[in-house]
Amino acid sequence: MIERYLSPSELRRLLSALLVVALFLCILTLFAFLIVPGTRNANAPAAEVPVAAPQGQSGWLDPTAYLAEKGRTVPPIDPRTVMSPNPELMARGKAIYVQTCATCHGAEGQGDGPGAKGLNPAPRRFTQKEGWKNGPGIPEIFQTLEKGVPGSSMVSYNYLSKRDRMALVHAVQSLGRFARAQEDPKALEGLARLFATAGETIPNRVPVAKALTLIAKESQPVARLDLRDPAVRAAVLDPERAAQTLALLPGWRQSVERLASGLSQGLPGNGFSPMVATYSREEWGVLHRALVTP
């Protein structure tokens, strides 16, 4: 029918035009389904590279359950690599925070982690400007990690290398939701000098659990703790490890002070809750009586 209105040459031109349009539509479809998504993915921000936890699979509130490690000497650190946060340092700091800090301080630094209940004083809220024991600056947070906070459940984190502690410092600072005062130049200079001039000698390390297991094999069997008393249940995290700790602590049955001083060291790796570090003299007496006369 169409031949009645078009000459053969005009028909060929029409078919050629239709073919070109069809080819163009095919190319456009291919571009939309293949090229555009690839371009979008290429421009997307790089996914954060997961960082392995630095202390192995630690137990609840137990930073001492690190992997066995052979001792080594770490040379001084270039301060420029740790004094300011960089993506690699922040990623490691966040991994350490999740493993060792979030249980008490919370994933967002609000002091609302599952291990915060019952702790007195309560864990620090990193999001708030008020209440920092040493201060929210880099040198102050590093000091807190170095020495802990006496009279609280915040123990020393000096088992971490200096680089890892600085990574954790930056991770903690990143949780703050307040305008931070300018850092003290002299304190920063002193911290930088510490990194640049002093290396680290890291001794052979064995997880507390493994060390206690080896000691237990060389000693007499240890009786299990009686957890029926509420005072004992509140103070003990790991009954087996706590029993081994008491078995190796001389004189604790005869002295409340000896029990308190002995258990306050090595928390929580000795099987007792960090909460016992905040006990009063009367609370230690209650725990002592419960342990001596189950």
Side-chain angles (χ1 to χ4, degrees), residues 213-268:
T213 299
L214 294 174
I215 293 173
K217 288 181 178 179
E218 298 175 359
S219 61
Q220 297 297 323
V222 177
R224 295 180 62 86
L225 287 179
D226 189 339
L227 300 179
R228 289 176 295 180
D229 192 295
V232 178
R233 286 201 305 273
V236 172
L237 290 179
D238 185 330
E240 183 176 348
R241 194 179 300 182
Q244 293 170 342
T245 298
L246 290 175
L248 298 173
L249 181 62
W252 71 268
R253 289 181 177 275
Q254 290 74 36
S255 169
V256 176
E257 290 74 16
R258 183 72 187 100
L259 177 69
S261 62
L263 297 190
S264 296
Q265 301 176 19
L267 295 170

Side-chain angles (χ1 to χ4, degrees), residues 1-14:
M1 180 66 69
I2 195 171
E3 291 85 356
R4 296 173 56 184
Y5 302 99
L6 298 174
S7 65
S9 61
E10 290 175 331
L11 182 59
R12 284 194 297 272
R13 285 197 299 272
L14 179 60

Side-chain angles (χ1 to χ4, degrees), residues 89-255:
L89 202 63
M90 284 296 296
R92 183 152 184 85
K94 289 178 180 178
I96 298 173
Y97 180 88
V98 168
Q99 184 187 37
T100 64
C101 308
T103 301
C104 287
H105 292 283
E108 302 298 327
Q110 295 278 13
D112 57 354
K117 296 179 180 179
L119 295 183
N120 184 21
R124 172 69 50 240
R125 296 184 68 176
F126 297 137
T127 56
Q128 293 187 345
K129 185 177 182 179
E130 298 78 17
W132 292 72
K133 185 71 174 179
N134 295 317
I138 290 176
E140 291 85 1
I141 299 176
F142 187 85
Q143 177 187 352
T144 300
L145 294 175
E146 174 78 20
K147 299 181 179 180
V149 178
S152 76
S153 56
M154 176 63 192
V155 297
S156 170
Y157 278 63
N158 60 8
Y159 62 88
L160 293 175
S161 69
K162 291 177 182 176
R163 184 180 297 276
D164 280 350
R165 270 178 276 162
M166 280 302 294
L168 187 53
V169 166
H170 293 307
V172 167
Q173 276 203 332
S174 71
L175 297 171
R177 301 177 184 173
F178 54 88
R180 202 172 285 105
Q182 186 175 3
E183 299 279 358
D184 182 353
K186 290 185 178 180
L188 287 177
E189 182 181 351
L191 188 59
R193 193 182 308 114
L194 171 67
F195 295 143
T197 59
E200 292 181 85
T201 300
I202 300 178
N204 294 325
R205 298 195 299 186
V206 178
V208 172
K210 183 175 181 179
L212 290 174
T213 299
L214 294 174
I215 293 173
K217 288 181 178 179
E218 298 175 359
S219 61
Q220 297 297 323
V222 177
R224 295 180 62 86
L225 287 179
D226 189 339
L227 300 179
R228 289 176 295 180
D229 192 295
V232 178
R233 286 201 305 273
V236 172
L237 290 179
D238 185 330
E240 183 176 348
R241 194 179 300 182
Q244 293 170 342
T245 298
L246 290 175
L248 298 173
L249 181 62
W252 71 268
R253 289 181 177 275
Q254 290 74 36
S255 169

